[in-house]
Amino acid sequence: MAEEQSNKSLVPGLERGLQLLLAFSEQRRELTFAELHRLVDMPKATAWRVVQTLTQMGFLERNPRTSTFSLGMNVLRLGFEFIASLDVVQVGQPVIEQLRDVSGCSSHLAIRDGRDLIYVARVSAAGSRINQVSVGTRLPVHRTSLGRMLLTDIRRDEFELLYPHPRLPGEHGGDSLDRDTLWNMVQQDKGRGYVIGESFYRHGISSIVYPIFDRSARVAAVISIMIPTEEIPQTDRDRLQREVALAARKISGFLGYLVKAS
């Protein structure tokens, strides 16, 4: 009885359309109408009308050369809309865990809040000797390599609103940093696309930092690994850099960022 009532609640046209879309898979990216009809449980005339409707709405695309159908851009758009709604921590946590495993280094995600960076996710390497920051820890953006990378997508006028004074405070009231010097460092980081901060903020600890982009190509966060050494050995540098870059691209893709073909 309950099953009968459930079946009465179904929208037949929607159900048939979804059946057809679900017929496509990694192994079946293009299908002829005859192949589609064999894969779904519906009359041939009904299947044809559903295919025509989905094609008209952009959920299917027809290749006139091969007379095959494939998933259209509107299916991809729905996927990207959902992915872009996910939080960077939701999609990033498993990625930084994987990065920790392949690099052997503690890994972090951080975002910017005004003149502070906030660590929003972290995973520690086994036996790490580094005094780990906690999720929620705030540090001044201008004093860290992660913070410098977070500043790479702001304009000069935005930068000067953020730092209205020509001298920026040093650590614990120590030596101050020149605002123009920071701006020039940030522009160099932007051009390079990453930061290798060898004991930039904490002595004896180096980091490799890459930006994470959102669907509007803005820097949404940064990903980093921490290495307990004053200077990263050249033999490890390229490998570690590749791993962090790959993790950054992966999270950016999850957030809907599409890399433009060069």
Side-chain angles (χ1 to χ4, degrees):
M1 183 71 176
E3 188 178 343
E4 253 180 55
Q5 289 177 338
S6 175
N7 288 338
K8 286 180 181 177
S9 301
L10 296 178
V11 180
L14 178 59
E15 181 187 16
R16 289 163 182 160
L18 293 175
Q19 280 180 5
L20 274 167
L21 293 178
L22 289 171
F24 293 89
S25 68
E26 183 72 21
Q27 291 74 37
R28 298 191 299 255
R29 296 189 176 190
E30 291 192 359
L31 295 168
T32 64
F33 174 72
E35 290 170 330
L36 268 172
H37 181 237
R38 281 199 301 270
L39 291 168
V40 296
D41 182 22
M42 65 184 76
K44 188 173 184 179
T46 302
W48 178 250
R49 288 196 301 272
V50 173
V51 166
Q52 294 306 303
T53 302
L54 291 172
T55 303
Q56 181 70 28
M57 295 182 67
F59 289 99
L60 288 180
E61 287 183 359
R62 183 179 179 275
N63 185 330
R65 185 175 59 84
T66 60
S67 295
T68 56
F69 294 89
S70 59
L71 294 179
M73 284 304 298
N74 270 351
V75 173
L76 299 178
R77 185 177 65 82
L78 286 177
F80 285 133
E81 291 287 347
F82 169 72
I83 288 169
S85 72
L86 296 178
D87 183 85
V88 67
V89 177
Q90 285 178 285
V91 298
Q93 184 70 36
V95 178
I96 63 172
E97 290 173 3
Q98 184 181 39
L99 177 60
R100 182 264 320 273
D101 294 342
V102 297
S103 69
C105 302
S106 299
S107 182
H108 307 81
L109 291 174
I111 62 171
R112 183 171 68 87
D113 180 24
R115 290 190 289 186
D116 289 343
L117 76 86
I118 306 173
Y119 285 93
V120 293
R122 72 171 184 87
V123 287
S124 300
S128 174
R129 305 190 309 273
I130 298 175
N131 183 21
Q132 292 292 332
V133 293
S134 303
V135 170
T137 295
R138 287 176 175 261
L139 292 175
V141 164
H142 70 281
R143 295 291 300 178
T144 66
S145 52
L146 284 79
R148 277 166 37 197
M149 185 52 67
L150 285 164
L151 290 172
T152 54
D153 76 338
I154 69 172
R155 303 187 309 269
R156 179 67 195 231
D157 59 326
E158 295 173 317
F159 178 77
E160 292 185 356
L161 282 174
L162 201 60
Y163 298 109
H165 305 295
R167 303 296 296 177
L168 309 177
E171 185 182 7
H172 307 307
D175 293 338
S176 62
L177 178 68
D178 180 78
R179 181 180 63 182
D180 288 339
T181 299
L182 175 63
W183 173 256
N184 290 334
M185 291 170 71
V186 168
Q187 297 317 297
Q188 291 172 9
D189 297 335
K190 181 177 182 178
R192 192 187 312 108
Y194 62 90
V195 176
I196 295 183
E198 292 174 317
S199 294
F200 178 74
Y201 183 70
R202 298 165 68 184
H203 294 299
I205 297 173
S206 297
S207 59
I208 299 176
V209 188
Y210 272 80
I212 293 168
F213 298 100
D214 62 19
R215 64 181 305 191
S216 59
R218 297 298 303 267
V219 177
V222 292
I223 184 170
S224 71
I225 57 173
M226 282 188 179
I227 305 155
T229 179
E230 289 281 349
E231 186 173 347
I232 305 167
Q234 194 61 48
T235 52
D236 294 333
R237 184 182 297 238
D238 292 344
R239 177 183 66 85
L240 293 173
Q241 194 177 331
R242 283 195 301 271
E243 296 294 353
V244 182
L246 178 61
R249 286 198 299 271
K250 189 177 293 187
I251 299 174
S252 296
F254 287 150
L255 294 179
Y257 176 66
L258 297 176
V259 179
K260 294 181 176 64
S262 54

